[in-house]
Coordinates of all heavy atoms in Angstrom, one line a residue:
L1 N 5.7 6.0 -17.8 CA 5.8 5.7 -19.2 C 7.2 5.8 -19.7 O 7.6 5.1 -20.6 CB 4.9 6.6 -20.0 CG 3.4 6.4 -19.8 CD1 2.6 7.5 -20.6 CD2 3.0 5.0 -20.2
D2 N 8.1 6.5 -19.0 CA 9.5 6.6 -19.4 C 10.2 5.2 -19.2 O 11.1 4.9 -19.9 CB 10.2 7.6 -18.5 CG 9.8 9.1 -18.9 OD1 9.3 9.2 -20.0 OD2 9.9 9.9 -18.0
L3 N 9.7 4.4 -18.2 CA 10.3 3.1 -18.0 C 9.9 2.1 -19.0 O 10.6 1.1 -19.1 CB 9.9 2.6 -16.6 CG 10.3 3.5 -15.4 CD1 9.8 2.9 -14.1 CD2 11.9 3.6 -15.4
V4 N 8.9 2.3 -19.8 CA 8.5 1.3 -20.8 C 9.0 1.8 -22.2 O 8.7 1.1 -23.2 CB 7.0 1.0 -20.8 CG1 6.6 0.3 -19.5 CG2 6.2 2.2 -21.0
A5 N 9.6 3.0 -22.3 CA 10.1 3.4 -23.6 C 11.0 2.4 -24.2 O 11.9 1.9 -23.5 CB 10.8 4.8 -23.4
G6 N 10.8 2.0 -25.4 CA 11.7 1.0 -26.1 C 11.2 -0.4 -25.9 O 11.8 -1.3 -26.5
E7 N 10.2 -0.6 -25.1 CA 9.6 -1.9 -24.9 C 8.7 -2.2 -26.1 O 8.3 -1.3 -26.9 CB 8.8 -2.0 -23.6 CG 9.7 -1.9 -22.4 CD 10.7 -3.0 -22.2 OE1 10.4 -4.1 -22.6 OE2 11.8 -2.7 -21.8
P8 N 8.2 -3.5 -26.2 CA 7.3 -3.8 -27.3 C 6.0 -2.9 -27.3 O 5.6 -2.5 -26.2 CB 6.9 -5.3 -27.1 CG 8.1 -5.8 -26.3 CD 8.6 -4.7 -25.5
A9 N 5.4 -2.7 -28.4 CA 4.3 -1.8 -28.6 C 3.1 -2.2 -27.7 O 2.4 -1.4 -27.1 CB 3.8 -1.8 -30.0
E10 N 3.0 -3.6 -27.5 CA 1.9 -4.0 -26.6 C 2.1 -3.6 -25.2 O 1.1 -3.2 -24.5 CB 1.8 -5.6 -26.6 CG 1.4 -6.2 -28.0 CD 2.7 -6.3 -28.9 OE1 3.8 -6.4 -28.4 OE2 2.5 -6.4 -30.1
A11 N 3.3 -3.6 -24.7 CA 3.7 -3.2 -23.3 C 3.4 -1.7 -23.2 O 2.9 -1.2 -22.2 CB 5.1 -3.5 -23.0
V12 N 3.8 -0.9 -24.2 CA 3.7 0.5 -24.1 C 2.2 0.9 -24.2 O 1.7 1.7 -23.4 CB 4.4 1.2 -25.3 CG1 4.1 2.7 -25.3 CG2 5.9 1.0 -25.2
A13 N 1.4 0.2 -25.0 CA -0.1 0.4 -25.1 C -0.7 0.0 -23.8 O -1.6 0.8 -23.3 CB -0.7 -0.4 -26.2
A14 N -0.3 -1.0 -23.1 CA -0.9 -1.4 -21.8 C -0.6 -0.4 -20.8 O -1.5 0.0 -20.0 CB -0.4 -2.8 -21.4
A15 N 0.6 0.1 -20.8 CA 1.0 1.1 -19.8 C 0.2 2.4 -20.0 O -0.2 3.0 -19.1 CB 2.5 1.4 -19.8
Q16 N 0.1 2.8 -21.3 CA -0.7 4.0 -21.6 C -2.1 3.8 -21.2 O -2.7 4.8 -20.7 CB -0.6 4.3 -23.1 CG -1.2 5.6 -23.5 CD -0.5 6.8 -22.9 OE1 0.6 7.0 -23.1 NE2 -1.3 7.6 -22.1
A17 N -2.7 2.6 -21.4 CA -4.1 2.4 -21.0 C -4.2 2.5 -19.5 O -5.2 3.1 -19.0 CB -4.6 1.0 -21.5
A18 N -3.3 2.1 -18.7 CA -3.3 2.2 -17.3 C -3.2 3.7 -16.9 O -3.9 4.1 -15.9 CB -2.2 1.4 -16.6
V19 N -2.4 4.4 -17.6 CA -2.2 5.9 -17.3 C -3.6 6.6 -17.6 O -4.0 7.5 -16.8 CB -1.1 6.5 -18.1 CG1 -1.1 8.0 -18.0 CG2 0.3 6.0 -17.5
D20 N -4.2 6.2 -18.6 CA -5.5 6.9 -19.1 C -6.7 6.4 -18.2 O -7.7 7.0 -18.3 CB -5.7 6.6 -20.5 CG -4.7 7.2 -21.4 OD1 -4.0 8.2 -21.0 OD2 -4.5 6.8 -22.6
A21 N -6.6 5.3 -17.5 CA -7.7 4.8 -16.8 C -8.1 5.7 -15.6 O -7.2 6.5 -15.1 CB -7.3 3.4 -16.2
P22 N -9.3 5.6 -15.1 CA -9.7 6.5 -14.0 C -8.9 6.1 -12.7 O -8.3 5.0 -12.6 CB -11.2 6.1 -13.8 CG -11.5 4.9 -14.6 CD -10.4 4.7 -15.6
E23 N -8.9 7.1 -11.8 CA -8.2 6.9 -10.6 C -8.7 5.7 -9.8 O -9.9 5.3 -10.0 CB -8.2 8.1 -9.7 CG -7.5 9.3 -10.2 CD -6.0 9.1 -10.3 OE1 -5.4 8.5 -9.4 OE2 -5.4 9.6 -11.3
G24 N -7.9 5.0 -9.0 CA -8.4 3.9 -8.2 C -9.1 4.4 -7.0 O -9.4 5.5 -6.8
I25 N -9.4 3.4 -6.1 CA -10.1 3.7 -4.8 C -9.1 3.8 -3.7 O -8.6 2.8 -3.2 CB -11.2 2.6 -4.6 CG1 -12.1 2.4 -5.8 CG2 -11.9 2.9 -3.3 CD1 -12.9 1.2 -5.7
G26 N -8.8 5.0 -3.2 CA -8.0 5.1 -2.1 C -6.5 5.0 -2.4 O -6.1 5.0 -3.5
T27 N -5.7 4.9 -1.3 CA -4.2 4.7 -1.4 C -3.9 3.4 -0.7 O -4.7 2.8 -0.1 CB -3.5 5.9 -0.7 OG1 -3.8 5.9 0.7 CG2 -3.9 7.2 -1.3
I28 N -2.6 3.1 -0.8 CA -2.2 1.8 -0.1 C -2.5 1.9 1.4 O -2.8 0.9 2.0 CB -0.7 1.5 -0.4 CG1 -0.3 0.1 0.0 CG2 0.2 2.5 0.3 CD1 -0.9 -1.0 -0.8
T29 N -2.4 3.1 2.0 CA -2.7 3.2 3.4 C -4.2 3.0 3.8 O -4.5 2.8 4.9 CB -2.1 4.5 4.0 OG1 -2.7 5.6 3.3 CG2 -0.6 4.6 3.9
S30 N -5.0 3.1 2.7 CA -6.4 2.9 3.0 C -6.8 1.5 3.3 O -7.8 1.2 3.8 CB -7.2 3.3 1.7 OG -7.0 4.6 1.3
Y31 N -5.8 0.6 3.0 CA -6.1 -0.9 3.2 C -5.2 -1.5 4.3 O -5.0 -2.7 4.3 CB -5.8 -1.6 1.8 CG -6.8 -1.1 0.8 CD1 -6.4 0.0 0.0 CD2 -8.0 -1.6 0.6 CE1 -7.3 0.5 -1.0 CE2 -8.9 -1.1 -0.3 CZ -8.5 0.0 -1.1 OH -9.4 0.5 -2.0
V32 N -4.8 -0.7 5.2 CA -4.0 -1.2 6.3 C -4.8 -2.1 7.2 O -6.0 -1.8 7.5 CB -3.4 0.0 7.2 CG1 -2.8 -0.5 8.4 CG2 -2.4 0.8 6.4
T33 N -4.3 -3.3 7.5 CA -5.1 -4.2 8.3 C -4.5 -4.5 9.7 O -5.0 -5.2 10.5 CB -5.2 -5.6 7.6 OG1 -3.8 -6.1 7.4 CG2 -5.9 -5.5 6.3
E34 N -3.3 -3.8 10.0 CA -2.7 -4.0 11.3 C -2.6 -2.6 11.9 O -2.5 -1.6 11.3 CB -1.2 -4.5 11.1 CG -1.2 -5.9 10.5 CD 0.3 -6.4 10.4 OE1 1.2 -5.7 10.8 OE2 0.4 -7.5 9.9
V35 N -2.8 -2.7 13.2 CA -2.7 -1.4 14.0 C -1.8 -1.7 15.2 O -1.6 -2.8 15.7 CB -4.1 -1.0 14.6 CG1 -5.0 -0.6 13.5 CG2 -4.7 -2.1 15.5
A36 N -1.1 -0.6 15.6 CA -0.2 -0.7 16.8 C -1.1 -0.6 18.0 O -2.0 0.2 18.1 CB 0.8 0.4 16.7
L37 N -0.9 -1.5 18.9 CA -1.6 -1.5 20.2 C -0.8 -0.9 21.3 O 0.4 -1.0 21.3 CB -2.0 -3.0 20.6 CG -2.8 -3.8 19.6 CD1 -2.9 -5.2 20.0 CD2 -4.2 -3.1 19.4
P38 N -1.5 -0.1 22.1 CA -0.8 0.5 23.2 C -0.3 -0.5 24.2 O -1.1 -1.4 24.7 CB -1.8 1.5 23.8 CG -3.1 0.8 23.5 CD -2.9 0.1 22.2
V39 N 1.0 -0.4 24.6 CA 1.5 -1.4 25.5 C 2.4 -0.6 26.5 O 3.3 0.1 26.1 CB 2.4 -2.5 24.9 CG1 2.9 -3.4 25.9 CG2 1.5 -3.2 23.9
K40 N 2.0 -0.8 27.8 CA 2.9 -0.2 28.8 C 3.2 -1.3 29.8 O 2.5 -2.3 29.9 CB 2.1 0.9 29.6 CG 1.8 2.1 28.7 CD 1.2 3.2 29.4 CE 1.1 4.4 28.4 NZ 0.0 5.2 28.6
D41 N 4.4 -1.2 30.4 CA 4.9 -2.2 31.3 C 5.3 -3.4 30.5 O 6.0 -3.2 29.5 CB 3.9 -2.6 32.4 CG 3.7 -1.4 33.4 OD1 4.7 -0.6 33.6 OD2 2.6 -1.3 33.9
T42 N 4.9 -4.6 30.7 CA 5.4 -5.8 30.0 C 4.2 -6.6 29.5 O 3.0 -6.4 30.0 CB 6.2 -6.7 30.9 OG1 5.4 -7.2 31.9 CG2 7.4 -5.9 31.5
W43 N 4.4 -7.6 28.6 CA 3.3 -8.4 28.2 C 2.8 -9.3 29.4 O 1.6 -9.6 29.4 CB 3.8 -9.3 27.0 CG 3.8 -8.6 25.7 CD1 4.9 -8.2 25.0 CD2 2.6 -8.2 25.0 NE1 4.5 -7.6 23.9 CE2 3.1 -7.5 23.8 CE3 1.3 -8.3 25.2 CZ2 2.3 -7.0 22.9 CZ3 0.4 -7.8 24.2 CH2 0.9 -7.2 23.1
K44 N 3.7 -9.7 30.2 CA 3.3 -10.5 31.4 C 2.6 -9.7 32.4 O 1.7 -10.3 33.2 CB 4.5 -11.3 32.0 CG 5.0 -12.4 31.1 CD 6.1 -13.2 31.8 CE 6.5 -14.3 30.9 NZ 7.5 -15.1 31.5
N45 N 2.9 -8.5 32.5 CA 2.3 -7.6 33.6 C 1.9 -6.3 32.9 O 2.5 -5.3 33.2 CB 3.3 -7.4 34.7 CG 2.6 -6.7 35.9 OD1 1.4 -6.6 36.0 ND2 3.4 -6.1 36.7
P46 N 0.9 -6.3 32.0 CA 0.5 -5.0 31.3 C -0.2 -4.0 32.2 O -0.8 -4.4 33.2 CB -0.4 -5.5 30.2 CG -1.0 -6.8 30.8 CD 0.0 -7.4 31.7
A47 N 0.0 -2.8 31.9 CA -0.6 -1.7 32.6 C -2.1 -1.6 32.2 O -2.5 -2.2 31.2 CB 0.1 -0.4 32.3
I48 N -2.9 -1.0 33.0 CA -4.3 -0.9 32.7 C -4.5 -0.1 31.3 O -3.8 0.9 31.1 CB -5.1 -0.1 33.8 CG1 -5.0 -0.9 35.1 CG2 -6.5 0.3 33.4 CD1 -5.6 -0.2 36.3

């Protein structure tokens, strides 16, 4: 809210509504879609 101080009333009201809203579902890390794959040796000759 400190970042919207001095902005138009509509912007401050929207920011305050977001602060007052219930918590979201999870964190950004809850939505990771990529995983690191184990790799040993090389791509052309991978280990078991």
